[in-house]
Amino acid sequence: MGVDYYSILQLNRSATDADIKRHFRKLGLKFHPQKNPDDQEAADKFKQVAEAYDVLSDPRKRATYDQFGEEGLKNGVPPGSGHAGAWTQGYTFHGNCDKVFRDFFGGDNPFQEFYDRVDGDLSMGFGGLQGRGSKKQDPPIERDLYLSLEEVFHGCTKKMKISRRVMNEDGHTSSIRDKILTITVKKGWKPGTRITFPEEGDQGPNNVPADIVFIVKDKPHPSFRREGINLIHTAKVPLGKALTGWTVDIHTLDERILHIPINDIIKPGYKKVVPEEGMPISSNPSEKGDLIIEFDIVFPSALPPQGKNLIKAALLHQN
C-alpha cells in the first residue's frame, strides 16, 4: 500500500497548506533529536515527519503522490500518463531532516542555539532552553502623541493607526496589517504621560510582541504655554500703558474672554496671577491651576522733543 504521508503528519487528504505547516511544526518539535537524545524511535519518526513534509509541502510532489501513490512518486510518472504537471522523475528523499527543519523555521529557528557550537560542542542542550522558559518580549516601541492645549483642557478621544506584522493562521508566515488604537485623553494630562498598549507590536513565532507606548507632548499654542498645572500667557504692553494702567483681554481655552485690569506699574519681570484659570488637575479635573500673565513691555522707537519734555516733567518727582 506504500507510505501514507498524510497519516504520518496526522492529516487527511483534504488538508490545506496551513494544516500541513502547522502539523509539521508540532510534530517536528515533538520528535526533534535534541529533545529526544538517544531515542531511536523518536529519531525515526522525526525522519518520517521530515520526508512527509518535504513531499506534501511541494504542490507538484503532492499532486503526483495523490494520484499515483508512493510508488508513482518514487519510480517516476511515465510519459503519456495524462497527468499534466505531475512529477515525471523519480523522487528520493535527500535524508537531511535537519535541513527540512532549518528551512521551515528560517532565521527564527527555536533550536538555533543547538547549531551555535563552541569549541566543537553544543553551547546549550534542549533542557537548557526549556529551562529558560517563555519567549522574550521585544523592547517597547515609543511614539510621540502631540496634543493641543484645548484637547488636554477638555479631554478627547484620539484614534491612532498602526501597521504591524501579524502571524497568519499557519503559525509560520506573517503579513502586515493595520490596526486602530483608541486613546481616551483625560483632562489635564501632563507632558510625559505614557499610555501603554500591551503586546501590540510585531508578532513572530518566537517572540512576545512589544508594548506600544504613546508619550504625551504639547503642540505649540499661539497664546499659551504650560508649566505644570499653570498656563502662561505673554502680553505685549506699550510703555505708556505699563506706567499708567491697562486691561488685558485674554481668550481662554474654553472660549471665554477674561478682562484682567492691571493697576500696578508694570516693571520688567512683573507677573499677574489669575487664580484657577489654568489647566485642569488630572487627578481632580474640577480643580485648576493658575493663569500667569507675563509682560513684554514695548518701548517706542522714537519720541518728539515735546514728548520727552512731558515725560521728564512727569518723572521729576522720581529724582
Side-chain angles (χ1 to χ4, degrees):
M1 187 172 178
V3 176
D4 187 344
Y5 291 128
Y6 289 100
S7 177
I8 290 173
L9 289 182
Q10 300 177 4
L11 295 165
N12 56 45
R13 288 182 174 268
S14 63
T16 64
D17 289 342
D19 294 331
I20 294 169
K21 290 176 181 177
R22 184 168 58 252
H23 281 239
F24 172 70
R25 178 185 180 86
K26 172 185 174 183
L27 297 172
L29 291 170
K30 178 179 180 180
F31 295 119
H32 195 283
Q34 293 293 343
K35 187 177 180 181
N36 303 276
D38 302 322
D39 187 336
Q40 187 58 47
E41 182 179 357
D44 292 341
K45 288 184 178 179
F46 183 70
K47 182 178 179 180
Q48 294 171 10
V49 166
E51 180 176 343
Y53 178 75
D54 189 56
V55 172
L56 298 182
S57 63
D58 184 303
R60 296 184 69 230
K61 295 176 189 175
R62 182 180 179 183
T64 303
Y65 173 74
D66 284 347
Q67 182 160 353
F68 301 102
E70 182 193 12
E71 183 178 355
L73 176 71
K74 293 186 175 180
N75 293 335
V77 178
S81 62
H83 187 73
W87 190 267
T88 56
Q89 297 179 350
Y91 163 76
T92 302
F93 180 53
H94 52 66
N96 191 343
C97 308
D98 196 48
K99 181 179 184 302
V100 176
F101 192 77
R102 282 174 174 267
D103 289 347
F104 178 84
F105 285 100
D108 293 322
N109 190 340
F111 295 145
Q112 188 62 48
E113 286 89 343
F114 298 150
Y115 307 113
D116 296 337
R117 297 179 179 271
V118 180
D119 296 330
D121 294 326
L122 290 175
S123 61
M124 185 175 292
F126 187 86
L129 265 181
Q130 281 204 322
R132 291 194 297 178
S134 60
K135 304 172 182 179
K136 292 183 179 179
Q137 185 174 26
D138 292 337
I141 300 170
E142 297 183 349
R143 297 185 178 181
D144 293 334
L145 176 63
Y146 282 95
L147 300 173
S148 69
L149 291 182
E150 286 84 358
E151 288 174 327
V152 180
F153 186 90
H154 295 287
C156 65
T157 298
K158 304 289 286 187
K159 303 285 188 179
M160 310 298 293
K161 185 171 82 170
I162 62 170
S163 296
R164 60 176 187 157
R165 186 169 294 280
V166 177
M167 295 301 297
N168 296 326
E169 292 182 358
D170 59 18
H172 177 59
T173 60
S174 61
S175 56
I176 300 296
R177 299 180 191 172
D178 292 336
K179 183 173 183 178
I180 302 297
L181 301 179
T182 300
I183 300 174
T184 302
V185 177
K186 295 182 179 180
K187 294 181 179 181
W189 268 1
K190 295 180 181 179
T193 299
R194 299 168 69 89
I195 307 97
T196 301
F197 289 87
E199 299 183 14
E200 289 290 357
D202 289 340
Q203 297 177 358
N206 300 295
N207 73 304
V208 176
D211 295 342
I212 294 183
V213 181
F214 291 93
I215 303 174
V216 171
K217 291 192 174 182
D218 286 344
K219 288 182 181 178
H221 194 277
S223 299
F224 303 102
R225 71 180 191 276
R226 64 168 166 164
E227 293 180 357
I229 59 174
N230 297 326
L231 282 175
I232 313 298
H233 174 80
T234 300
K236 289 184 178 294
V237 53
L239 176 60
K241 293 184 177 181
L243 297 173
T244 60
W246 188 43
T247 296
V248 184
D249 296 331
I250 298 177
H251 292 259
T252 66
L253 296 176
D254 55 354
E255 300 180 351
R256 293 176 294 121
I257 299 179
L258 299 179
H259 304 285
I260 311 298
I262 309 297
N263 299 316
D264 300 325
I265 292 176
I266 301 174
K267 304 174 183 178
Y270 174 84
K271 298 180 181 180
K272 178 72 173 181
V273 178
V274 184
E276 299 184 359
E277 288 291 349
M279 296 296 288
I281 299 173
S282 58
S283 59
N284 186 4
S286 63
E287 297 183 5
K288 295 182 176 65
D290 297 333
L291 168 62
I292 300 174
I293 306 173
E294 299 177 345
F295 296 90
D296 179 10
I297 302 173
V298 181
F299 284 76
S301 57
L303 283 175
Q306 64 226 55
K308 292 182 180 180
N309 292 332
L310 290 171
I311 292 175
K312 287 179 181 179
L315 299 180
L316 277 179
H317 68 280
Q318 296 291 330
N319 297 329

XYZ file of all heavy atoms in Angstrom, residues 55-86:
233
model
N 7.383 16.185 0.915
C 6.513 15.803 -0.205
C 5.252 16.657 -0.237
O 4.904 17.264 -1.254
C 6.136 14.305 -0.106
C 5.072 13.955 -1.145
C 7.372 13.436 -0.295
N 4.546 16.711 0.879
C 3.225 17.344 0.875
C 3.283 18.862 0.792
O 2.299 19.509 0.413
C 2.443 16.928 2.121
C 2.156 15.427 2.254
C 1.324 15.151 3.504
C 1.436 14.900 1.011
N 4.422 19.466 1.138
C 4.525 20.926 1.051
C 4.867 21.392 -0.353
O 4.802 22.585 -0.644
C 5.598 21.437 2.024
O 6.882 20.940 1.673
N 5.223 20.446 -1.230
C 5.553 20.785 -2.622
C 4.349 20.426 -3.500
O 3.967 19.252 -3.594
C 6.793 20.004 -3.064
C 7.246 20.390 -4.458
O 6.444 20.282 -5.418
O 8.416 20.793 -4.604
N 3.701 21.402 -4.145
C 2.472 21.125 -4.897
C 2.637 20.035 -5.960
O 1.746 19.204 -6.146
C 2.135 22.476 -5.533
C 2.769 23.490 -4.638
C 4.030 22.836 -4.157
N 3.779 20.002 -6.681
C 3.953 19.009 -7.742
C 4.169 17.617 -7.165
O 3.617 16.627 -7.652
C 5.136 19.408 -8.642
C 4.892 20.728 -9.398
C 6.023 21.036 -10.352
N 6.050 20.100 -11.463
C 7.142 19.445 -11.867
N 8.284 19.621 -11.251
N 7.081 18.618 -12.894
N 4.969 17.525 -6.116
C 5.173 16.218 -5.488
C 3.860 15.710 -4.891
O 3.534 14.521 -5.013
C 6.233 16.312 -4.387
C 7.636 16.651 -4.872
C 8.561 16.803 -3.668
C 9.923 17.353 -4.090
N 10.786 17.621 -2.926
N 3.136 16.602 -4.252
C 1.883 16.190 -3.617
C 0.875 15.730 -4.679
O 0.174 14.718 -4.486
C 1.302 17.342 -2.803
C 0.016 16.964 -2.079
C -0.546 18.127 -1.276
N -1.790 17.757 -0.615
C -2.534 18.590 0.112
N -2.150 19.865 0.275
N -3.652 18.170 0.685
N 0.813 16.455 -5.816
C -0.123 16.081 -6.870
C 0.201 14.695 -7.427
O -0.689 13.869 -7.675
C -0.092 17.126 -7.986
N 1.492 14.415 -7.610
C 1.911 13.105 -8.102
C 1.585 12.016 -7.078
O 1.072 10.945 -7.422
C 3.418 13.106 -8.405
O 3.693 14.139 -9.344
C 3.863 11.769 -8.974
N 1.894 12.304 -5.813
C 1.626 11.332 -4.756
C 0.133 11.053 -4.637
O -0.289 9.887 -4.490
C 2.187 11.852 -3.434
C 1.822 10.994 -2.249
C 2.425 9.752 -2.035
C 0.863 11.428 -1.333
C 2.080 8.970 -0.949
C 0.514 10.654 -0.236
C 1.127 9.423 -0.048
O 0.788 8.630 1.030
N -0.692 12.104 -4.703
C -2.142 11.919 -4.568
C -2.700 11.020 -5.666
O -3.614 10.219 -5.416
C -2.847 13.291 -4.610
C -2.691 14.066 -3.305
O -2.260 13.458 -2.305
O -2.992 15.277 -3.287
N -2.157 11.111 -6.892
C -2.711 10.322 -7.988
C -2.054 8.952 -8.136
O -2.729 7.964 -8.421
C -2.585 11.088 -9.306
C -3.187 10.323 -10.486
C -3.496 11.220 -11.657
O -3.385 12.432 -11.558
N -3.875 10.627 -12.769
N -0.743 8.902 -7.916
C -0.015 7.658 -8.222
C 0.550 6.957 -6.985
O 1.156 5.894 -7.097
C 1.123 7.950 -9.198
C 0.644 8.540 -10.504
C 0.757 9.890 -10.749
C 0.069 7.726 -11.480
C 0.313 10.429 -11.936
C -0.369 8.259 -12.677
C -0.255 9.622 -12.912
N 0.387 7.582 -5.800
C 0.866 6.941 -4.588
C 2.385 6.997 -4.469
O 3.087 7.599 -5.289
N 2.887 6.338 -3.419
C 4.326 6.358 -3.172
C 5.096 5.743 -4.329
O 6.162 6.238 -4.717
C 4.639 5.610 -1.868
C 6.133 5.646 -1.529
C 6.501 4.657 -0.447
O 5.673 3.786 -0.110
O 7.648 4.734 0.054
N 4.564 4.682 -4.910
C 5.281 4.002 -5.996
C 5.436 4.928 -7.202
O 6.525 5.039 -7.772
C 4.530 2.735 -6.414
C 5.249 1.944 -7.494
C 4.519 0.668 -7.852
O 3.498 0.351 -7.198
O 4.968 -0.015 -8.798
N 4.359 5.604 -7.589
C 4.444 6.521 -8.714
C 5.365 7.692 -8.417
O 6.083 8.178 -9.290
N 5.343 8.163 -7.163
C 6.189 9.287 -6.788
C 7.665 8.923 -6.871
O 8.470 9.660 -7.438
C 5.841 9.742 -5.356
C 6.715 10.856 -4.769
C 6.430 12.179 -5.456
C 6.461 10.992 -3.255
N 8.011 7.743 -6.330
C 9.427 7.398 -6.238
C 9.979 6.732 -7.494
O 11.179 6.804 -7.757
C 9.638 6.508 -5.011
C 9.375 7.261 -3.700
C 9.724 6.451 -2.466
C 9.568 7.289 -1.208
N 9.898 6.548 0.031
N 9.099 6.111 -8.274
C 9.571 5.491 -9.519
C 9.466 6.435 -10.701
O 10.057 6.185 -11.756
C 8.783 4.214 -9.800
C 9.068 3.130 -8.786
O 10.134 3.117 -8.167
N 8.116 2.227 -8.580
N 8.693 7.514 -10.551
C 8.505 8.447 -11.637
C 7.237 8.148 -12.408
O 6.779 7.004 -12.472
N 6.645 9.185 -12.974
C 5.430 9.038 -13.766
C 5.829 8.877 -15.225
O 6.517 9.718 -15.783
C 4.518 10.269 -13.587
C 3.273 10.131 -14.448
C 4.149 10.442 -12.119
N 5.427 7.781 -15.850
C 5.834 7.560 -17.237
C 5.200 8.575 -18.184
O 4.119 9.102 -17.899
C 5.327 6.151 -17.533
C 4.178 5.974 -16.581
C 4.552 6.720 -15.338
N 5.851 8.892 -19.311
C 5.264 9.792 -20.306
C 3.921 9.253 -20.774
O 3.703 8.049 -20.855
C 6.294 9.785 -21.442
C 7.568 9.357 -20.802
C 7.175 8.394 -19.712
N 3.021 10.167 -21.067
C 1.707 9.759 -21.552
C 0.766 9.329 -20.460
O -0.252 8.706 -20.724
N 1.131 9.648 -19.209
C 0.252 9.246 -18.111
C -1.014 10.082 -18.074
O -1.969 9.741 -17.399
C 0.988 9.397 -16.773
O 1.336 10.761 -16.551
N -0.970 11.214 -18.772
C -2.155 12.054 -18.842
C -2.334 12.962 -17.646
O -3.364 13.603 -17.514
N -1.327 13.029 -16.812
C -1.432 13.892 -15.635
C -0.582 15.132 -15.856
O 0.634 15.100 -15.706
C -0.975 13.139 -14.373
C -1.229 13.929 -13.120
N -2.486 14.103 -12.595
C -0.380 14.587 -12.303
C -2.405 14.824 -11.490
N -1.127 15.135 -11.300
N -1.213 16.212 -16.241
C -0.485 17.435 -16.540
C 0.171 17.980 -15.279
O -0.433 18.042 -14.222
C -1.453 18.478 -17.115
N 1.428 18.380 -15.414
C 2.143 18.990 -14.299
C 2.627 18.015 -13.261
O 3.115 18.413 -12.221
N 2.482 16.715 -13.486
C 2.908 15.738 -12.487
C 4.426 15.660 -12.433
O 5.121 16.027 -13.367
C 2.325 14.365 -12.816
